[in-house]
Amino acid sequence: MFLFLALLDNPEEQEKFTEVYNQYRHFMWYVANQKLQDEHLAEDAVQEAFFALTRHLDQVEDVHSQRTRKFLATIVRSKAVDILRKRKPTEELKEYLAEEKRDEDILEQYLTKENYHYLISCILELEDHYRVVFEYKYLYQMGDAQIGDILGISAKNVNVRYFRARKKLQEMIQKEGSRFERA
Amino acid sequence: MKEHETRSKGEELLTRVLEECLEEDLSFVPPEGEIARTHRFSREFEQWMQEILEGMSAACRKKEIRRHFSPRLGQWAACILIFCVCGWLFVQVGGQIGGFDTKETAEEAPASETAEEEAVAAEDAPAEDMGTGSADTVTQEDPDNFESGPDEGQAVKEYCGQEVSLASQQKVQEQSDSVTTRLNCPVLDEDNPVLMLTIGNTGEENIRYYNRYDLEVWLEDAWYRIPPKSEEAGEWLILEAGMAVDEEVDLSLYQIDHDARQYRLVTRTEQGRVGIEFTFEEVFKETMETDAELKRSACLSEAPEGFQNAKAL
């Protein structure tokens, strides 16, 4: 643990970390508990999130900003999802089986202003382990290695998960679009 | 940054959508203070985070020392120190051989003893503050704190079959600039030994308080600390600005006889000590009766003669 702590190598960073802890720990717990519906597991997720934060404190520029709040929400949610996935390994298997049938990545074609409302409902429905990868990548401009470090997986696996997420979103928009057309 | 610049329109749109979705999700999260009221973190969690925060400051301190302290400078400093000590020894030994007045040395001796005593006292004070000091240690840090200045012989007293030591601070306020304490009831029933202590942070900054409280009793002329039946180590907890916390205090963990006139619970905080007084029902009733009696007799002595005669009849 102290190896990680040594990364916060100056008093300013240490102060920032303490401030984040004091200001957001209950918020983070709430976000985790929404996912896990278990107070103790939610605390574990918060611990894991703070642990990860010691290595990525550079993402926090202003402790009181909305961006920081969102970033912490993403971290703690991804940790909560990790805990959930560890408890349900069968889902992982299903995911690998689904991976067998490969389609073309044409998500770009669906990302249009006309599909804005579909997109919102699809993102809200998208599984969290995919959505957090999008958030890390697009909202916080983090690289695969950095994301992998937080999620505890390799950069290559982050890439795999990212492409699965794209494919899943593509399928969801297609489905949503055809439902809308039928209606 | 480059990646951001080279993003396609589709990806820009996706970013906006993700942002909007996250905002929508978070709009349902109640404010921090409200969550804090409904959820209290487990002791393990608080302990773990405390370790992290303390570990961080230790790691930082080490790094700072390493940054500012060059080994070569250290070697030089050590050499100079050895040189000075040798010089001082040489002067001392030379002086004695040369027949210096021994009285001078004899006069120096008590002075150095006092200095040593002062150093020991200074070391004791913070240890007591952190809750690790023994109950018997009486540190009179500030003599102004004593209302009537009890003698040194009274530092330890016999109370309820145990020794109680003079409280290290006699004058303790009920509230400081940012901390205030309240009890659920200032007059307690002897049959109910549990009381609820509320600690409130009225300031704008977070504070830390120690979750083991000192129970003190007023005996004749001063406050004395009653040691708990078994000393348990407490911990420093954080109390956020504008928040209050209820702590249960079980008086059955102390040897008390309910006969003393006044008791008080003292809470240690970073800002100093705050304490709140209470008493027990029987004692309170007696006190009230005595007070009423005194008032009545005072009224009678001040009343006109005719009224007194009528009262006598």
Side-chain angles (χ1 to χ4, degrees), chain B residues 18-47:
Chain B
L18 284 165
E19 187 113 40
E20 199 171 308
C21 290
L22 192 54
E23 267 166 24
E24 193 180 321
D25 280 349
L26 298 184
S27 65
F28 296 106
V29 179
E32 185 81 358
E34 207 173 296
I35 307 167
R37 260 194 292 279
T38 54
H39 172 73
R40 201 164 167 189
F41 281 105
S42 65
R43 191 162 282 219
E44 293 82 42
F45 177 88
E46 295 276 8
Q47 223 163 358

Side-chain angles (χ1 to χ4, degrees), chain A residues 105-122:
Chain A
D105 181 4
I106 47 164
L107 178 67
E108 194 63 36
Q109 292 173 19
Y110 291 100
L111 297 176
T112 58
K113 278 181 189 168
E114 292 74 39
N115 282 341
Y116 191 78
H117 294 292
Y118 302 156
L119 261 172
I120 293 221
S121 58
C122 291

Side-chain angles (χ1 to χ4, degrees), chain B residues 185-212:
Chain B
C185 180
V187 181
L188 296 181
D189 178 6
E190 281 88 341
D191 299 331
N192 181 17
V194 177
L195 59 108
M196 198 61 84
L197 173 72
T198 307
I199 306 163
N201 179 0
T202 51
E204 287 170 0
E205 305 253 308
N206 292 351
I207 58 145
R208 288 187 347 137
Y209 70 96
Y210 194 64
N211 72 344
R212 289 284 174 274

Side-chain angles (χ1 to χ4, degrees), chain B residues 183 195 197 213-215 249 263-267 274-276 278:
Chain B
L183 277 180
L195 59 108
L197 173 72
Y213 316 95
D214 287 342
L215 178 65
V249 182
Y263 297 84
R264 75 179 180 189
L265 267 178
V266 178
T267 311
V274 280
I276 184 139
F278 63 93

Side-chain angles (χ1 to χ4, degrees), chain A residues 1-2 5-11 14 17-18 21-31 34 39-40 43 46-47 50-51 54 69-70 73-74 77 107-108 111-113 116 119-120 123-124 131 134-135 137-142 162 166 169, chain B residues 1 3-4 7-11 13-30 32 35-46 48-61 63-64 67 206 238 240:
Chain A
M1 180 172 78
F2 290 99
L5 297 179
L7 293 171
L8 299 178
D9 61 351
N10 61 52
Q14 189 194 329
F17 183 86
T18 311
Y21 170 69
N22 287 333
Q23 192 173 332
Y24 295 106
R25 67 185 194 280
H26 288 107
F27 160 75
M28 289 167 77
W29 174 84
Y30 189 89
V31 173
Q34 268 186 327
E39 291 189 5
H40 298 289
E43 284 186 2
V46 176
Q47 277 187 359
F50 274 116
F51 218 50
T54 56
R69 192 165 180 262
K70 286 177 191 165
T74 300
R77 211 160 38 134
L107 178 67
E108 194 63 36
L111 297 176
T112 58
K113 278 181 189 168
Y116 191 78
L119 261 172
I120 293 221
I123 290 288
L124 287 172
R131 189 172 147 188
F134 276 147
E135 284 177 7
K137 229 177 168 78
Y138 291 112
L139 297 185
Y140 316 113
Q141 287 100 48
M142 291 169 82
Y162 168 66
R166 283 181 71 90
L169 185 62
Chain B
M1 207 60 183
E3 194 191 336
H4 187 67
R7 266 193 207 164
S8 65
K9 275 187 179 173
E11 283 176 329
L13 187 74
L14 183 58
T15 309
R16 231 171 46 224
V17 169
L18 284 165
E19 187 113 40
E20 199 171 308
C21 290
L22 192 54
E23 267 166 24
E24 193 180 321
D25 280 349
L26 298 184
S27 65
F28 296 106
V29 179
E32 185 81 358
I35 307 167
R37 260 194 292 279
T38 54
H39 172 73
R40 201 164 167 189
F41 281 105
S42 65
R43 191 162 282 219
E44 293 82 42
F45 177 88
E46 295 276 8
W48 189 85
M49 282 313 298
Q50 202 62 39
E51 270 173 32
I52 280 214
L53 297 174
E54 277 162 15
M56 267 183 347
S57 42
C60 273
R61 245 177 284 137
K63 280 201 173 174
E64 285 291 303
R67 206 174 287 165
N206 292 351
I238 294 167
E240 283 171 31

